[in-house]
Amino acid sequence: MRSRFAAMVVLFVGAFVAVHAAADEGMWTFDNPPLDKIEKAFGMKMSKEWLDHLRLSSVRLAGIGSASFVSKDGLILTNHHVAADCIQQISTEENDLMKNGYGANGEAPLRCPGSEAQVLVETRDVTRRVQDAVPAGQAGAAAFEARKAETARIESECANATSDLCEVVSLYQGSEYWLHIYRTYKDVRLVWAPEGQAAMFGGDPDNFNFPRYSLDAALMRAYDEAGNPVTVTHHLRVAPGAYRDGDPVFVSGHPTSSGRFYTYAQLEFLRDSLYPLWLTSMERSRDVFREYTKRGEEQKRRALFEIGMDENFIKVAIGYMQGLRDGELMKRAKDAEDELRAKVAADPKLAEEIGDPWGEIAKAQELHRAYFKRFRYVRMRGSDAFDKARQIVLLTAELQKPNEERFEEFRDSALPSLYSRLYSKAPLYADMEEVVLADRLAQLAENLGEDDPAVKAALGGRTPAKVAADAIAKTKIFDADARKALVEQGRAGVEKSKDPLIRLALALEPEYRALRTRYEHEVEEVEAQAGDRIARARFAIRGREIYPDTTFTLRLSYGRVSGYEDHGYMNGPRTTFYGLFERAESFGNKPPYDVAPGFDKARGLLDLSTTYNFVATLDTFPGNSGSPIVNGSGDLVGLLFDGNLPGLSIQFVYDERIARSIAVDIEAVLEALRVVYGRGDLAREMLSGAAK
């Protein structure tokens, strides 16, 4: 359920207000890399050519995660769990590719519905233009609309001048605005994926833990409009074994929204309001899908990915809340904020310029508390069918407005990608959609009350189960051509539509718009303007030596290959294929510690000393999954796929003593391709940089 995953990505927010950065800390933009820090730490001078090559070899898989080109013929390496959305969509009842894997017999690549590969080709500083669009002294709704309009104009001008994707992103909480231009490949196909058990060995118990033994890797390929593999100028050179313990490594990826520079009031909102609701929602969603799997093996196949996502988010939410409930951590955050405020107060000119942004943000959090739950339930995220219906309702209304007045996801610059996703022929399963929609409607009624206007509009006096059953049974939204026809009819056609999912989306639209607009004006704009002034204060003290908050845009992080101590036990930096079989045997080869069939058959042929997974002190967030890890020469040595459980607290305070990023060693990928899956051709392509 793509929309459900994308929604959760936005919730991956953390916070850190300290001014001083640890040695390996930071997710830096490529226009402002920490060259001095890297030279001091590793004794290496990083050239512009080195950085440009890594940037142009890096790939963002739209709305999902990170990846990289590994041959001139458009071959893309990413995680299995990043490609899982595609793998799940192209699986069938007869062939469960999540379980069985794909490509071991040289099958033709399969197109991933709605997927896009994006490469950052250019960035431009548009700060002055965006900031000048807001008149001095203007605030609130007027300021938000002025900034939104100018951002839309910049994106539209860019899109009219190029066929590439144009996005304006805010950095340093609004102190800087940059235009990011992406070359986009809309035809992405799955080439190879291992069996699910090989990719997810150890299941949820081993998730966020180390040692690990996971082949969390997959290969895709980008194609041009004529259906031929694209030719790319920049791709990473694969270098198995080209690093040693303690060596410097670098990661290039797209960490999602973090907010490490949130204020203490924002931390309290996360701790007391957002994360508890998030945890409850994910636990309920997991239980709904678990119940659904009892219907049969096919239902189990359909829900496996959803359950895995929920279990992952549950662990993350628990880890985040534990961090925020740590009195020492919160004290450090409060002390850091107080220190910054004291430095501002000590400079009368700066104090007059900055004012009290911390108080303004605190007030915004109080306002948000009053309705954030309502906004969450009215959105009803989770059902792909309903999400598509709501998107059609909003889209046809927004297209009637000037470009600069629309919600940002409906601006002209975003429409090609939106249409690609909306008209995707990825399968929707009626029985699963009905279960999810009924649950979301039930949550709406349970939390807002039966007499609430939004509940009455949605249910019309019927039960959630009845509304969901009737809507799913009679809707045409499952048909991609029908969705396209509805959009082409425009707003008038949508308003006349008898489709029950469209009618449901129309019924909830007024409340959704009111709550979203209120949030954008009362919270988002206040945080942008106040955050801008806090960032200016930091700039006055430290300048751009501080890295910006993350925004699912390309970042560079650095660290070393290094083990760590966990509760008195020392974990080495690497695991091997030997360890895989030993761990399986210690659990009697029973799930989730059963060796994947392909590995079991190939055991006598594998080089068991091959490094499987390794850890490094890289500072990474969700969204970095699938990121390439390169050595000092810029050669690919690993593929990032996870972080360790103690390191979840780096959402708030980075600590290289305990925080580790976990990677698949490129040696393991090559060995598995050659020996386990019989795809020596792909291994040779990766090593030579070209298809044979």
Side-chain angles (χ1 to χ4, degrees):
M1 301 186 112
R2 177 187 298 272
S3 59
R4 183 167 163 274
F5 175 79
M8 288 302 101
V9 165
V10 176
L11 287 176
F12 274 113
V13 290
F16 175 42
V17 295
V19 174
H20 303 291
D24 295 344
E25 179 187 337
M27 288 156 281
W28 303 82
T29 54
F30 273 69
D31 66 273
N32 182 39
L35 301 179
D36 292 343
K37 293 178 182 290
I38 290 171
E39 183 175 2
K40 182 177 180 181
F42 307 135
M44 63 175 285
K45 289 184 179 292
M46 190 170 285
S47 68
K48 183 180 184 300
E49 291 73 22
W50 191 99
L51 288 163
D52 286 346
H53 177 67
L54 180 58
R55 170 175 58 83
L56 293 167
S57 300
S58 300
V59 175
R60 183 174 72 172
L61 295 173
I64 303 176
S66 302
S68 59
F69 281 119
V70 290
S71 88
K72 73 175 184 63
D73 296 298
L75 193 65
I76 297 171
L77 177 66
T78 189
N79 290 148
H80 182 278
H81 82 261
V82 171
D85 193 46
C86 166
I87 298 169
Q88 180 83 350
Q89 289 179 22
I90 60 180
S91 291
T92 64
E93 188 171 354
E94 295 74 29
N95 188 10
D96 182 358
L97 303 184
M98 285 288 287
K99 177 182 178 181
N100 302 326
Y102 186 75
N105 298 312
E107 299 95 328
L110 293 176
R111 186 163 185 171
C112 297
S115 291
E116 291 184 1
Q118 301 166 343
V119 177
L120 182 64
V121 294
E122 185 181 352
T123 62
R124 301 174 191 167
D125 187 351
V126 293
T127 303
R128 177 64 63 186
R129 183 170 168 183
V130 174
Q131 291 181 342
D132 286 351
V134 181
Q138 194 173 72
F144 177 85
E145 295 301 331
R147 184 178 288 106
K148 183 175 78 170
E150 188 61 28
T151 297
R153 280 191 286 270
I154 293 170
E155 291 178 346
S156 182
E157 291 169 8
C158 172
N160 290 335
T162 177
S163 59
D164 295 329
L165 172 66
C166 302
E167 292 181 353
V168 173
V169 298
S170 168
L171 300 177
Y172 298 101
Q173 294 128 306
S175 278
E176 292 186 358
Y177 290 88
W178 286 75
L179 175 64
H180 285 199
I181 303 174
Y182 295 89
R183 180 142 309 128
T184 301
Y185 304 95
K186 295 183 179 298
D187 185 351
V188 180
R189 306 181 193 182
L190 181 70
V191 174
W192 164 81
E195 306 112 306
Q197 184 54 23
M200 299 176 283
F201 179 84
D204 186 58
D206 275 11
N207 190 25
F208 292 113
N209 285 303
F210 194 79
R212 288 288 282 281
Y213 306 91
S214 296
L215 191 66
D216 196 350
L219 288 169
M220 310 168 94
R221 198 181 298 277
Y223 288 75
D224 61 23
E225 294 180 357
N228 301 312
V230 301
T231 300
V232 296
T233 304
H234 292 272
H235 60 85
L236 296 177
R237 183 171 62 185
V238 173
Y243 71 93
R244 296 173 297 180
D245 299 351
D247 275 359
V249 285
F250 304 84
V251 64
S252 173
H254 304 81
T256 55
S257 300
S258 62
R260 271 194 182 175
F261 300 102
Y262 276 10
T263 67
Y264 190 77
Q266 289 170 304
L267 295 186
E268 290 181 313
F269 177 79
L270 294 176
R271 181 192 65 197
D272 302 333
S273 301
L274 180 60
Y275 288 157
L277 179 63
W278 181 25
L279 177 60
T280 300
S281 299
M282 289 301 98
E283 289 175 335
R284 176 162 176 160
S285 177
R286 175 201 59 195
D287 293 344
V288 166
F289 282 115
R290 282 180 175 174
E291 188 65 26
Y292 171 75
T293 64
K294 296 177 182 178
R295 298 185 180 188
E297 288 301 312
E298 172 59 9
Q299 285 73 19
K300 186 181 295 185
R301 178 191 72 80
R302 294 172 183 173
L304 178 65
F305 176 63
E306 307 298 331
I307 292 172
M309 292 297 296
D310 285 338
E311 288 176 337
N312 181 75
F313 292 141
I314 287 167
K315 265 190 174 179
V316 169
I318 292 172
Y320 288 177
M321 286 195 298
Q322 287 176 343
L324 288 173
R325 289 171 179 169
D326 182 328
E328 178 58 30
L329 185 148
M330 290 296 282
K331 182 178 183 301
R332 289 171 64 183
K334 186 67 166 62
D335 289 347
E337 182 173 304
D338 289 345
E339 179 185 352
L340 179 59
R341 296 178 74 165
K343 289 181 178 179
V344 170
D347 184 336
K349 183 178 179 181
L350 184 61
E352 182 179 0
E353 176 188 348
I354 299 303
D356 183 21
W358 296 274
E360 294 167 21
I361 288 176
K363 182 179 178 181
Q365 305 315 299
E366 285 303 311
L367 291 173
H368 193 197
R369 254 185 208 96
Y371 61 88
F372 89 96
K373 286 186 179 181
R374 181 179 187 81
F375 191 17
R376 185 262 180 219
Y377 292 118
V378 167
R379 279 181 291 185
M380 289 213 317
R381 282 173 169 160
S383 162
D384 272 356
F386 176 74
D387 285 344
K388 291 182 185 300
R390 179 179 55 197
Q391 196 170 48
I392 290 169
V393 166
L394 294 173
L395 170 65
T396 52
E398 293 296 297
L399 288 179
Q400 294 181 315
K401 303 177 183 178
N403 180 52
E404 59 270 17
E405 294 180 10
R406 299 175 197 163
F407 287 145
E408 62 177 340
E409 65 268 30
F410 300 111
R411 294 173 185 163
D412 289 341
S413 58
L415 290 179
S417 294
L418 184 149
Y419 289 139
S420 176
R421 296 189 300 273
L422 183 59
Y423 302 149
S424 164
K425 295 185 182 295
L428 298 171
Y429 304 108
D431 61 340
M432 190 162 78
E433 291 294 326
E434 181 183 335
V435 166
V436 175
L437 181 58
D439 177 66
R440 298 307 185 268
L441 287 166
Q443 290 189 54
L444 180 74
E446 291 166 11
N447 287 277
L448 304 189
E450 293 183 359
D451 293 331
D452 185 90
V455 175
K456 288 182 176 181
L459 299 183
R462 298 175 293 166
T463 66
K466 177 63 174 172
V467 172
D470 289 348
I472 297 301
K474 298 173 183 177
T475 187
K476 302 296 184 184
I477 292 297
F478 285 70
D479 184 341
D481 293 333
R483 296 195 294 270
K484 186 174 183 180
L486 265 172
V487 172
E488 290 173 347
Q489 289 172 26
R491 181 66 178 188
V494 166
E495 289 179 346
K496 293 176 183 178
S497 173
K498 303 298 183 183
D499 187 290
L501 273 184
I502 292 292
R503 300 312 307 173
L504 178 59
L506 283 167
L508 288 170
E509 182 189 20
E511 187 69 4
Y512 170 83
R513 285 184 176 277
L515 289 168
R516 175 167 175 174
T517 301
R518 183 179 177 186
Y519 170 76
E520 289 179 342
H521 292 172
E522 291 183 353
V523 181
E524 190 172 291
E525 179 59 23
V526 171
E527 290 180 338
Q529 290 207 21
D532 174 23
R533 300 204 307 276
I534 294 173
R536 290 208 306 268
R538 289 198 186 95
F539 265 53
I541 297 167
R542 296 290 303 278
R544 290 185 92 226
E545 65 179 77
I546 304 172
Y547 59 93
D549 44 317
T550 55
T551 52
F552 199 43
T553 51
L554 189 64
R555 301 301 171 90
L556 176 73
S557 296
Y558 62 94
R560 293 183 184 273
V561 176
S562 174
Y564 65 102
E565 184 178 340
D566 185 7
H567 294 92
Y569 178 81
M570 191 64 197
N571 287 313
R574 304 168 182 246
T575 63
T576 65
F577 285 154
Y578 278 119
L580 166 69
F581 292 102
E582 289 173 357
R583 188 155 177 80
E585 289 168 4
S586 69
F587 284 94
N589 205 41
K590 295 179 180 179
Y593 296 105
D594 49 321
V595 175
F599 273 78
D600 195 37
K601 291 178 183 178
R603 180 172 184 173
L605 302 174
L606 285 166
D607 178 357
L608 298 182
S609 66
T610 299
T611 300
Y612 204 164
N613 296 161
F614 68 90
V615 289
T617 61
L618 294 162
D619 190 4
T620 58
F621 277 178
N624 270 119
S625 289
S627 297
I629 297 178
V630 301
N631 61 14
S633 299
D635 297 334
L636 183 70
V637 297
L639 175 66
L640 190 139
F641 74 94
D642 204 359
N644 62 340
L645 196 60
L648 282 176
S649 63
I650 69 169
Q651 290 286 346
F652 315 108
V653 177
Y654 179 79
D655 189 342
E656 68 180 43
R657 296 172 303 170
I658 59 170
R660 291 295 182 274
S661 291
I662 308 174
V664 183
D665 195 293
I666 200 65
E667 280 190 334
V669 177
L670 296 171
E671 181 74 358
L673 282 170
R674 287 186 296 241
V675 180
V676 179
Y677 299 103
R679 293 306 305 267
D681 60 319
L682 293 175
R684 289 191 293 273
E685 178 176 353
M686 292 173 67
L687 287 168
S688 67
K692 299 295 184 182

